[in-house]
Amino acid sequence: MGRAKPAIGGQAVIEGVMMRSPEFTAVAVRKNDEIIVKKEKNSSITDKYPVLKLPVLRGAVALIEMLVIGVRALSYSAGIAAGEEEELTGRDIFYAVALAIGFAVLLFIVVPTLLVKLIAGGVKSHLLLNLIEGVIRIAVFLLYLIFISSMKDIRRFFEYHGAEHKAVHCYENGEELTIENARKYTTLHPRCGTSFLLVVMIVSILLFSLLGWPGILARIASRVLLFPMVAGISYEFIRLAGRSRSPLIQVISAPGMWLQLLTTREPDDSQLEVALEALKSVLSGGGTVAG
């Protein structure tokens, strides 16, 4: 039996794609007719503290690390697009990640929790209240995606997201990494971050239902404090969905795949070329490694 392929993940950036293998991270950005590629060797806190590689724990760690890597990749691509290559400092990255987490907490935890009181003030069942809160959270998420997907610049960003998925599908199916081969694949992928976020919201409904319905401050605090566990459980499911061909797993994964219809678009060949360059870079042991 052949050795399993290393898992490749990534994300869209400004006029480009970031790809990440177990060993390397590469950001490919198009600037006019040129594709600029920056490649770095990966490092993780889990290498220093192996206990963090345990199931569930590794998901929470991976989420924070991907936020940091994602912010750096977005900053780098924005700099290339603007003709600048100034790197973010550690403090800049900390503030950017903290701002992103703060925004997510406000929009997807605080707002739904407050809205429950307005919508279901007369409901006494703790289970039903948690279910209503979860439905509101998913509705807010959907409205947010619909709103941003209507923006012209975001639509182009989502085209690069589709290019990333097509390139990864081409790799996972063992084909030569060419535009022609990648073009035929779907823009949807079971390990996508969009699917992960939907799983997070479903897992949060189940987990938060076990806590009853305390006061508003305790409710918000408990959801924030338990979020790493929610993220860890969700991460394990997404890992399973990415490698399983079980009909049951595929059915459970279907809503997350449908949701990607909002966050991916069909890319053109120039965008596929960028995604493939990023992918080839992380799969190659050689090349220029920054830093």
Side-chain angles (χ1 to χ4, degrees):
M1 190 172 183
R3 186 178 177 183
K5 286 177 173 289
I8 303 292
Q11 70 173 56
V13 296
I14 308 300
E15 287 302 318
V17 170
M18 180 271 284
M19 291 286 189
R20 185 171 172 85
S21 71
E23 191 174 358
F24 296 106
T25 295
V27 183
V29 182
R30 180 173 292 283
K31 187 170 177 62
N32 300 321
D33 293 330
E34 182 183 7
I35 299 175
I36 300 171
V37 181
K38 178 185 178 183
K39 177 178 176 180
E40 296 180 330
K41 191 167 181 60
N42 294 337
S43 61
S44 172
I45 192 174
T46 59
D47 296 330
K48 187 175 182 179
Y49 303 103
V51 68
L52 296 178
K53 294 181 180 181
L54 292 174
V56 180
L57 282 178
R58 64 189 174 189
V61 173
L63 178 62
I64 296 297
E65 290 188 339
M66 283 305 296
L67 276 172
V68 172
I69 293 165
V71 166
R72 289 182 61 203
L74 281 168
S75 172
Y76 173 76
S77 64
I80 294 295
E84 304 169 357
E85 294 190 40
E86 185 176 343
E87 294 281 344
L88 285 180
T89 65
R91 178 179 293 183
D92 292 335
I93 293 173
F94 173 81
Y95 286 145
V97 171
L99 183 62
I101 293 174
F103 176 75
V105 167
L106 176 64
L107 190 60
F108 302 121
I109 294 180
V110 177
V111 169
T113 299
L114 292 175
L115 285 177
V116 171
K117 188 174 182 180
L118 298 176
I119 296 174
V123 176
K124 302 300 181 184
S125 168
H126 292 173
L127 182 62
L128 186 54
L129 285 168
N130 277 288
L131 179 60
I132 293 170
E133 180 193 35
V135 170
I136 293 172
R137 185 176 295 113
I138 292 173
V140 169
F141 180 52
L142 288 174
L143 290 172
Y144 172 75
L145 288 181
I146 291 169
F147 172 71
I148 65 171
S149 65
S150 67
M151 300 177 182
K152 183 179 179 180
D153 290 343
I154 297 298
R155 284 201 299 271
R156 186 158 179 80
F157 186 85
F158 286 168
E159 288 168 3
Y160 275 106
H161 189 192
E164 176 227 326
H165 285 181
K166 282 175 175 280
V168 171
H169 276 303
C170 187
Y171 159 74
E172 290 176 339
N173 282 277
E175 295 208 58
E176 184 182 356
L177 299 179
T178 65
I179 293 171
E180 291 73 21
N181 286 338
R183 190 189 295 129
K184 65 189 175 186
Y185 288 104
T186 177
T187 61
L188 313 182
H189 196 283
R191 286 189 287 108
C192 176
T194 305
S195 295
F196 171 76
L197 291 174
L198 183 60
V199 172
V200 162
M201 293 184 187
I202 294 171
V203 170
S204 70
I205 294 174
L206 301 175
L207 192 59
F208 296 161
S209 295
L210 302 176
L211 303 178
W213 194 255
I216 181 69
L217 293 180
R219 209 155 63 237
I220 292 172
S222 66
R223 279 136 180 76
V224 171
L225 291 173
L226 281 176
F227 183 76
M229 181 180 292
V230 171
I233 294 171
S234 303
Y235 176 84
E236 297 304 325
F237 176 80
I238 290 295
R239 275 174 57 97
L240 176 63
R243 62 176 183 264
S244 174
R245 294 296 176 263
S246 162
L248 177 60
I249 295 297
Q250 291 183 19
V251 167
I252 296 173
S253 301
M257 299 286 281
W258 298 335
L259 198 57
Q260 291 175 48
L261 295 172
L262 288 175
T263 64
T264 62
R265 296 286 187 275
E266 279 293 330
D268 61 29
D269 285 357
S270 68
Q271 292 166 319
L272 279 174
E273 183 184 18
V274 173
L276 290 168
E277 285 301 313
L279 179 54
K280 290 173 185 176
S281 182
V282 297
L283 292 175
S284 168
T288 302
V289 181

